[in-house]
Amino acid sequence: MDESVFQAFLPELVDIRRRLHQMPETGYEERQTSALVADLMEGWGLTVTRGLAATGFVATLDRGGDRAIGLRADMDGLPIVEETGAVYASRIPGMMHACGHDGHTTMLIGAAFRLLHDDDFRGKVHFIFQPAEETAGGAARMIEEGLFERFPCEAVFALHNYPGLATGRFSARPGAMMAAIDAATLTVRGTGGHGARPEDTVDPIVAASSIVMALQTAVSRNVPPQEAGVITVGAFHAGSACNVIPDEAVLEISLRATDPDVRSKLCRRFEDIARLQAESFGAEVRIDWQVGYPVTMNDAAAVGLAAGVIRDTFGDDAFEPLDRPMMGSEDFAFMLEKVKGAYLFLGNGDSAGLHNSRYDFNDALLERGPVFLHALARRFFA
Ligand SMILES: [Zn+2]
Ligand SMILES: [Zn+2]
């Protein structure tokens, strides 16, 4: 790769990132984003397969041989009102790229540009542009629609920017990198009545309160102290007046764990505690599970490969081993369940946090991200 060619392309890359920033689209609505990027890749001569998981697509660079690597970026924005004040701020009311997926998409474009300018390697690179990372499991849907049967990969890698980590510094760990998340709506059904005559009712507020308290024992009493887990009751809706006992209470609950066994145990305990606590009050429960993401499980060899590339390319300080998993979650986990690989953080510097209305992707990463992904693919094929 002639570095001066990439340097000359960098301003265009910044421009692409800012254009994407102006047109955020939420999960499975990324039609314009997807079209813009797919058209660009097609124009460069890559083989583009559109329509995986609605707005997702794969661009393939085939330099022969039978080895293949997958590099993935997410494309969706969030329903947040942007307050960055940037000249290139979102032009779509109530939507913004508050998680930096505009930057991830652009870094992958930059990686494709660099690899396209190399003809001295053998291998296939699948650039995977996925929709709906935030809430709707776009990665899982791409897999269901045959991602890895149609585009077999020996390994997959993804980057996510990380506010608070020094600009351009990478961080990852082997094993659990991000937690699994499951979310459920719990409806506790009793029998409402007059607030003066509790004996004629089954009070769902008392039953639900008891469930909330009992759930706090699941992590402390059922999970080994060395393991991590969180159960959060984030919403509790019931009743409308001080003298009326309502018919039902509705709770929104999230469960997180960094180990697959702890994850299933917490889900089981949640169901048992909710059902049995409610039963003891004569109330009934209904549990509606929503989409869950598994633990993001990094392959040790893949992390080793990436860390080696980072240290050799940018110096020893550029890679910071992550000592503990993060309790957030990530739907790249679904891809890592099928194909070994690694998910890495790339420091966004001292910026506002992810999902914050003042957050913005750091354009300085548009150089380092592509340089890393390019070097990673080259070493993978070497
Ligand atoms: Zn996010
Ligand atoms: Zn994100």
Side-chain angles (χ1 to χ4, degrees):
M1 173 83 216
D2 177 352
E3 289 302 329
S4 67
V5 175
F6 182 60
Q7 288 300 322
F9 178 63
L10 265 178
E12 197 175 323
L13 215 46
V14 172
D15 186 62
I16 292 169
R17 205 286 288 185
R18 294 179 175 189
R19 250 190 294 160
L20 293 176
H21 191 83
Q22 287 181 324
M23 46 183 266
E25 299 168 295
T26 50
Y28 300 125
E29 302 291 327
E30 310 92 334
R31 289 184 204 91
Q32 294 189 55
T33 304
S34 172
L36 186 153
V37 183
D39 288 350
L40 180 70
M41 302 292 243
E42 218 160 47
W44 286 351
L46 279 83
T47 307
V48 173
T49 307
R50 301 178 197 236
L52 257 100
T55 45
F57 71 95
V58 175
T60 300
L61 174 63
D62 189 352
R63 291 266 193 259
D66 48 13
R67 304 199 61 195
I69 189 174
L71 304 175
R72 169 274 203 179
D74 38 17
M75 301 188 289
D76 53 328
L78 285 157
I80 295 174
V81 177
E82 179 160 353
E83 293 182 305
T84 59
V87 286
Y88 53 85
S90 168
R91 292 192 177 164
I92 302 178
M95 304 262 194
M96 79 173 282
H97 270 296
C99 206
H101 298 184
D102 49 345
H104 304 163
T105 298
T106 311
M107 289 195 293
L108 200 53
I109 294 170
F113 179 91
R114 291 180 64 90
L115 283 157
L116 201 59
H117 281 76
D118 275 0
D119 51 13
D120 57 340
F121 70 90
R122 276 165 68 75
K124 253 192 213 85
V125 187
H126 298 300
F127 301 95
I128 303 167
F129 291 89
Q130 79 145 81
E133 188 284 324
E134 292 291 356
T135 51
R141 190 164 152 196
M142 282 188 102
I143 292 165
E144 277 161 29
E145 295 184 13
L147 174 65
F148 293 126
E149 284 82 39
R150 295 164 72 182
F151 309 96
C153 295
E154 242 177 285
V156 286
F157 291 87
L159 287 176
H160 202 297
N161 77 95
Y162 203 81
L165 181 64
T167 303
R169 183 177 276 180
F170 295 82
S171 188
R173 71 192 303 276
M177 174 81 183
M178 303 281 282
I181 182 166
D182 296 285
T185 302
L186 174 68
T187 307
V188 181
R189 184 118 198 119
T191 308
H194 201 294
R197 299 181 59 88
E199 72 276 21
D200 294 337
T201 71
V202 173
D203 188 340
I205 293 183
V206 172
S209 301
S210 178
I211 291 170
V212 172
M213 296 312 291
L215 283 178
Q216 300 313 311
T217 65
V219 172
S220 71
R221 300 295 86 185
N222 303 122
V223 172
Q226 299 87 345
E227 302 283 352
V230 186
I231 296 186
T232 292
V233 180
F236 188 134
H237 300 291
S240 55
C242 72
N243 56 355
V244 180
I245 292 167
D247 282 318
E248 62 177 36
V250 179
L251 283 63
E252 301 290 344
I253 295 159
S254 58
L255 304 94
R256 295 171 196 267
T258 54
D259 175 89
D261 292 339
V262 171
R263 178 193 187 192
S264 45
K265 189 176 214 174
L266 277 184
C267 291
R268 267 200 325 275
R269 279 302 290 152
F270 162 61
E271 289 192 336
D272 288 349
I273 287 171
R275 189 168 43 80
L276 294 167
Q277 287 284 325
E279 206 172 278
S280 75
F281 291 93
E284 285 172 2
V285 291
R286 198 181 72 217
I287 296 171
D288 297 304
W289 286 101
Q290 282 112 49
V291 67
Y293 290 179
V295 178
T296 303
M297 203 59 89
N298 276 346
D299 175 72
V303 173
L305 175 78
V309 168
I310 292 161
R311 290 188 172 117
D312 292 349
T313 312
F314 308 112
D316 280 347
D317 282 354
F319 183 77
E320 183 178 306
L322 187 68
D323 53 353
R324 279 179 294 197
M326 297 288 176
M327 293 311 289
S329 23
E330 163 60 54
D331 88 342
F332 186 60
F334 288 112
M335 295 196 188
L336 289 177
E337 278 190 332
K338 299 285 176 201
V339 179
K340 66 185 170 57
Y343 178 78
L344 297 100
F345 293 133
L346 175 54
N348 201 54
D350 188 21
S351 72
L354 300 172
H355 295 207
N356 183 293
S357 60
R358 295 183 196 282
Y359 165 85
D360 193 14
F361 181 84
N362 186 342
D363 283 333
L365 306 181
L366 294 177
E367 178 171 8
R368 186 159 277 204
V371 169
F372 162 67
L373 292 168
H374 171 239
L376 177 72
R378 291 300 309 251
R379 181 149 325 166
F380 182 78
F381 292 131

